[in-house]
């Protein structure tokens, strides 16, 4: 660390500062390049050799053609803009006011600092970058692709490259960072190195886990996941939580929630204001929640059969036993909804009619349009993932976390890169980002099955194409009343795809569209929720026709779901007794966090409040 005494001359301080910057640049840039090269190589080829990566890629070049006329026009426009930019920059340096030649997109927070427009040098740097970014992105527009999936991947990775090259991501081209270096005499750089090394040590080989929020920012059971309740059943895959009633009477038919097993359940039980579970209990529902185990290598052979039998069915059995009711309303979120659809098809095939209604929150059954997640999936990538999964016995949840973050790279990756490493600061506590960073492993067999049969082969929508415990699945046989929620800006489950998935089921269906994305659209409190939703009493074949006939309703979708759910929940009565408690909610399964040992093997640590 720099230790300039009060008696140090200004020249000595400057020399020491320059030495620190030079050291930071050398060490940090080498580390970043090494990490990124290793991630790219192992993500796509399973080999750390860049040469192998390049040669393998070049042998599979897709058929791409250029539109010559459009290409030449684009080149001419680009050169003209560059000339105009340089002329404006020269005039600005001599004090002549100039209007920006190009501006960042609305909502782009990378260039909010005043010097990006007020300082001629930084203004030129920003505008030069934006022009080059516009050029690279528009270059894809003049290409003609035989395969739309190839086009989508090229657009996605072009965007990733363009955003990685933003001047805001570099020391001397970010005015805010530059000022911080001078003001702190380089202390921020030393802290940044420490932060980077900490994250590097806590990252798996296949990905880089950037800290989005401090591990000790929240405590489960106190700040988050604090709705009162008890763990009333436990097996190797789940802990079942029964929440304590807060109303004198509750609806007769209980509600069971199946969260995604690739994340922790407490996204539905954040703080008191944003907790969907707490709100449902307050509306007089008897609520049960599945909390999935965070698996290690011993769960390698666990597949979807086990997730249906030991997860959904086991939870359903115990809810029925505890409440004495022979009917249960069940809701599934994301892949929890996909699993619920499989379970209900299997139950129907066995003559089991205990599920009274189904609710699917941002759920896919038809994976023909997987959104930007599909850019990560190909035969080539699958073979690499399979090798990694077979060697470990599980898919490391931190890799999945990085992939999801890069779907919103400027907000969920580069902003933290700048804050943590260039400015040397700690991230601000934020509950959703804390949950987002609390990664969960996925058993090897389950993850490979999910990738192959859903995302790659899209077999779930085909009657009889998949089986659960030797019984063929047929979603069209499900005639249970169903509620479908999709989010307009969801890049994980596109709302059009969620709409088509609703058509995979039979029976009465209600489809609702909320504003915002996969998480914020769902976690949109009834009291004070800022996102509206759209409703339509009909369900035409086309999602565009549905939206054209829909009406916008202000406020959260929670109240719409409540009104729908009440129809299937029976009359209010005395709440069922709480079952014998194994341990207080939120239980121990949700507290298992992922860490990396010095041997670079994933271990589980229980995050228990002191």
């Amino acid at each position: 660390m720099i230790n300039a005494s009060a008696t140090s001359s200004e020249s000595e301080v400057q020399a020491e500062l320059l030495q620190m910057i030079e050291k930071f640049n050398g060490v940090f840039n080498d580390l970043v390049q090494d990490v990124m090269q290793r991630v790219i190589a192992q993500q796509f080829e399973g080999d750390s050799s860049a040469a192998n990566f390049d040669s393998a890629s070049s042998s599979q070049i897709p058929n791409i053609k250029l539109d010559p006329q459009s290409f030449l026009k684009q080149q001419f426009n680009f050169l003209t803009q560059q000339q105009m930019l340089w002329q404006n920059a020269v005039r600005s340096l001599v004090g002549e006011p100039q209007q920006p030649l190009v501006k960042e997109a609305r909502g782009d927070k990378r260039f909010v600092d005043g010097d990006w427009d007020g300082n001629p040098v930084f203004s030129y740097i920003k505008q030069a970058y934006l022009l080059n970014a516009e050029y690279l992105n528009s270059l894809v527009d003049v290409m003609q692709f035989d395969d739309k999936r190839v086009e989508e991947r090229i657009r996605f990775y072009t965007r990733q490259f363009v955003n990685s090259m933003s001047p805001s991501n570099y020391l001397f081209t970010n005015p805010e960072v530059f000022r911080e270096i001078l003001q702190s005499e380089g202390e921020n750089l030393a802290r940044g190195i420490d932060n980077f090394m900490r994250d590097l040590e806590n990252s798996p080989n296949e990905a880089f886990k950037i800290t989005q929020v401090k591990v000790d920012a929240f405590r489960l059971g106190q700040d988050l996941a604090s709705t009162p309740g008890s763990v009333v059943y436990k097996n190797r895959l789940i802990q079942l939580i029964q929440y304590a009633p807060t109303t004198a009477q509750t609806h007769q038919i209980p509600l069971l929630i199946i969260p995604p097993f690739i994340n922790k359940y407490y996204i539905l039980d954040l703080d008191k204001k944003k907790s969907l579970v707490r709100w449902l209990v307050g509306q007089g529902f008897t609520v049960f929640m599945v909390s999935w185990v965070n698996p290690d290598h011993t769960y390698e052979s666990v597949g979807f059969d086990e997730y249906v039998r030991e997860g959904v069915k086991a939870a359903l059995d115990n809810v029925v036993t505890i409440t004495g009711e022979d009917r249960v309303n069940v809701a599934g979120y994301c892949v929890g909804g996909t699993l619920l659809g499989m379970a209900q098809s299997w139950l129907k095939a066995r003559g089991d009619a205990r599920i009274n209604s189904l609710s699917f929150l941002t759920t896919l059954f038809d994976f023909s349009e997987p959104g930007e997640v599909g850019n990560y999936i190909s035969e080539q990538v699958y073979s690499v993932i399979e090798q990694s999964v077979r060697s470990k016995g599980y898919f490391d949840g931190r890799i999945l976390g990085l992939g999801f973050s890069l779907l919103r790279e400027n907000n969920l990756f580069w902003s933290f890169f700048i804050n943590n490493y260039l400015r040397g600061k700690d991230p601000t506590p934020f509950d959703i980002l804390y949950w987002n960073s609390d990664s969960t492993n996925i058993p090897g067999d389950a993850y490979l099955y999910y990738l192959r049969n859903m995302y790659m082969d899209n077999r779930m929508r085909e009657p009889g194409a998949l089986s659960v415990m030797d019984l063929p699945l047929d979603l069209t046989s499900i005639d249970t009343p169903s509620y479908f929620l999709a989010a307009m800006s969801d890049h994980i489950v596109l709302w059009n795809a969620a709409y088509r998935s609703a058509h995979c089921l039979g029976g009465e269906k209600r489809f609702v569209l909320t504003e915002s994305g996969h998480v914020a659209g769902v976690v949109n409190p009834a009291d004070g929720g800022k996102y509206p939703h759209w409703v339509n009493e009909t369900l035409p074949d086309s999602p565009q026709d549905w939206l054209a006939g829909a009406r916008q309703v202000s406020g959260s979708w929670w109240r719409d779901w409540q009104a729908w759910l009440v129809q299937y929940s029976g009359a209010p009565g005395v709440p069922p007794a709480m079952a014998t408690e194994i341990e207080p909610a939120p239980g121990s399964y949700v507290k298992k966090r992922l860490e990396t040992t010095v041997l670079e093997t994933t271990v589980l640590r229980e995050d228990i409040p002191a």
Side-chain angles (χ1 to χ4, degrees):
M1 303 288 283
I2 292 176
N3 186 22
S5 65
T7 60
S8 298
S9 66
E10 184 177 347
S11 60
E12 289 174 335
V13 172
Q14 290 176 346
E16 195 172 2
L17 175 58
L18 289 174
Q19 184 179 9
M20 171 63 74
I21 292 173
E22 183 178 358
K23 178 181 177 182
F24 179 91
N25 271 330
V27 175
F28 185 72
N29 288 341
D30 287 347
L31 286 169
V32 171
Q33 290 177 18
D34 177 69
V35 170
M36 292 306 174
Q37 184 180 41
R38 174 162 55 89
V39 169
I40 290 172
Q42 295 195 11
Q43 177 75 5
F44 292 98
E45 285 299 310
D47 194 319
S48 59
S49 167
N52 287 346
F53 173 71
D54 291 339
S55 62
S57 299
S58 63
S59 67
Q60 299 180 7
I61 296 175
N63 186 17
I64 302 173
K65 299 177 182 178
L66 284 176
D67 179 347
Q69 186 175 355
S70 299
F71 179 71
L72 289 174
K73 182 180 179 181
Q74 182 199 55
Q75 301 301 304
F76 178 78
N77 289 339
F78 177 68
L79 291 174
T80 302
Q81 289 176 312
Q82 289 291 341
Q83 184 179 15
M84 293 172 61
L85 176 62
W86 178 248
Q87 292 171 350
N88 284 356
V90 171
R91 295 189 185 105
S92 295
L93 289 173
V94 297
E96 296 182 20
Q98 298 295 320
Q99 290 296 320
L101 184 64
V102 59
K103 291 185 177 181
E104 64 272 27
R106 184 179 180 182
D108 189 342
K109 300 179 181 179
R110 294 175 295 176
F111 305 107
V112 295
D113 189 274
D115 276 346
W116 285 116
D117 292 322
N119 183 297
V121 174
F122 287 114
S123 177
Y124 173 80
I125 290 172
K126 182 189 84 169
Q127 291 188 67
Y129 164 74
L130 291 175
L131 280 179
N132 281 280
E134 185 180 84
Y135 167 73
L136 287 172
N137 284 315
S138 64
L139 186 60
V140 185
D141 295 334
V142 301
M143 297 179 180
Q144 298 172 347
F145 300 86
D146 288 344
D147 189 338
K148 185 169 179 61
R149 291 173 298 179
V150 172
E151 178 183 358
E152 291 172 350
R153 287 191 182 115
I154 288 179
R155 288 188 184 277
F156 177 76
Y157 287 109
T158 298
R159 191 190 83 203
Q160 295 294 329
F161 172 75
V162 165
N163 287 332
S164 73
M165 298 303 293
S166 171
S168 57
N169 299 336
Y170 297 87
L171 285 175
F172 297 112
T173 53
N174 184 324
E176 192 173 9
V177 173
F178 193 74
R179 287 197 305 270
E180 191 114 26
I181 293 172
L182 297 177
Q183 292 169 2
S184 71
E185 298 181 349
E187 294 270 353
N188 60 306
L189 305 183
R191 293 194 300 268
I193 281 282
D194 290 342
N195 289 344
F196 182 83
M197 293 305 300
R198 174 205 62 208
D199 287 351
L200 185 61
E201 290 171 359
N202 288 324
S203 297
N205 282 331
E206 301 89 343
F208 182 70
K209 180 176 172 60
I210 194 167
T211 296
Q212 296 177 330
V213 64
K214 294 178 68 176
V215 174
D216 59 356
F218 299 96
R219 294 285 185 162
L220 298 186
Q222 297 179 17
D223 310 304
L224 309 175
S226 62
T227 301
S230 302
V231 173
V232 294
Y233 171 76
K234 174 181 178 179
N235 63 27
R236 63 170 180 162
L237 278 185
I238 69 167
Q239 288 188 325
L240 180 65
I241 299 171
Q242 180 184 8
Y243 291 98
T246 58
T247 55
Q249 292 187 318
T250 60
H251 292 285
Q252 174 189 358
I253 299 175
L255 172 65
L256 169 64
I257 301 177
I258 311 295
F261 56 79
I262 62 176
N263 298 111
K264 300 290 184 67
Y265 84 83
Y266 65 87
I267 188 60
L268 300 176
D269 189 21
L270 292 173
D271 63 26
K272 294 180 180 180
K273 178 182 177 181
K274 293 195 286 288
S275 172
L276 176 59
V277 166
R278 186 181 291 267
W279 183 80
L280 286 167
V281 171
Q283 305 309 305
F285 292 98
T286 298
V287 183
F288 292 80
M289 175 75 76
V290 167
S291 175
W292 298 103
V293 73
N294 199 343
D296 57 19
H297 68 279
T298 63
Y299 287 78
E300 176 180 8
S301 61
V302 170
F304 270 72
D305 280 7
E306 287 76 20
Y307 271 97
V308 169
R309 183 176 62 248
E310 301 176 45
V312 178
K313 181 180 181 296
L316 181 65
D317 291 344
N318 280 274
V319 171
V320 168
T321 299
I322 291 168
T323 62
E325 299 293 333
D326 59 2
R327 293 177 298 164
V328 179
N329 297 317
V330 188
Y333 182 15
C334 188
V335 70
T338 305
L339 180 67
L340 174 59
M342 297 176 71
Q344 177 63 341
S345 176
W346 177 76
L347 289 168
K348 293 284 289 185
R350 298 174 74 242
D352 189 332
R354 290 179 296 172
I355 293 183
N356 188 55
S357 76
L358 295 161
S359 297
F360 299 102
L361 315 181
T362 64
T363 293
L364 283 180
F365 299 129
D366 183 341
F367 289 77
S368 58
E369 192 177 4
E372 290 189 337
V373 173
N375 293 313
Y376 297 133
I377 302 169
S378 66
E379 289 291 346
Q380 185 182 17
V381 174
Y382 180 85
S383 65
V384 177
I385 292 174
E386 185 175 27
Q387 292 175 23
S388 173
V389 165
R390 293 306 181 200
S391 67
K392 293 183 177 181
Y394 58 87
F395 186 73
D396 196 309
R398 293 166 296 179
I399 305 173
L400 204 62
L402 174 63
F404 286 145
S405 292
L406 289 177
L407 298 180
R408 282 288 175 266
E409 64 277 5
N410 286 332
N411 293 331
L412 296 179
F413 187 85
W414 291 112
S415 62
F416 294 100
F417 180 94
I418 295 165
N419 186 74
N420 299 1
Y421 309 146
L422 304 188
R423 301 185 64 196
K425 296 185 178 296
D426 292 325
T428 303
F430 183 36
D431 52 5
I432 291 179
L433 286 179
Y434 181 87
W435 166 84
N436 189 60
S437 300
D438 193 0
S439 303
T440 305
N441 289 335
I442 309 172
D445 281 0
Y447 189 66
L448 294 175
Y449 179 94
Y450 185 50
L451 282 184
R452 170 59 67 189
N453 291 287
M454 277 66 163
Y455 276 99
M456 297 179 70
D457 295 343
N458 194 19
R459 302 181 68 197
M460 189 173 178
R461 63 179 178 173
E462 303 172 15
L466 299 178
S467 297
V468 168
M469 290 173 274
D470 299 324
L471 285 179
L473 298 182
D474 183 1
L475 296 178
T476 63
S477 69
I478 298 176
D479 56 2
T480 313
S482 302
Y483 185 101
F484 284 83
L485 176 78
M488 182 171 285
S489 301
D490 193 338
H491 281 66
I492 297 173
V493 175
L494 301 185
W495 84 265
N496 288 348
Y499 187 85
R500 284 193 293 273
S501 295
H503 278 274
C504 291
L505 273 62
E508 296 181 9
K509 295 182 285 285
R510 180 173 180 79
F511 185 86
V512 174
L513 181 64
T514 180
E515 199 172 65
S516 195
H518 191 72
V519 173
V522 174
V523 185
N524 185 32
D527 299 323
K530 58 183 179 179
Y531 302 118
H533 60 282
W534 288 261
V535 298
N536 188 337
E537 304 307 321
T538 65
L539 204 70
D541 292 337
S542 165
Q544 285 70 35
D545 290 344
W546 181 92
L547 186 59
R551 61 183 176 88
Q552 181 176 320
V553 181
S554 61
S556 173
W557 65 274
W558 289 12
R559 295 196 186 280
D560 184 87
W561 186 39
Q562 175 195 10
W564 181 88
L565 200 57
V566 163
Q567 304 173 73
Y568 305 100
S569 297
V574 178
M578 294 290 291
T580 302
E581 181 177 88
I582 297 174
E583 60 179 303
S588 56
Y589 279 7
V590 75
K591 295 179 182 178
K592 300 290 185 180
R593 297 183 63 90
L594 302 188
E595 287 186 339
T596 300
T597 69
V598 294
L599 297 177
E600 295 184 329
T601 57
T602 302
V603 296
L604 297 171
R605 175 178 65 81
E606 186 165 3
D607 185 21
I608 301 177

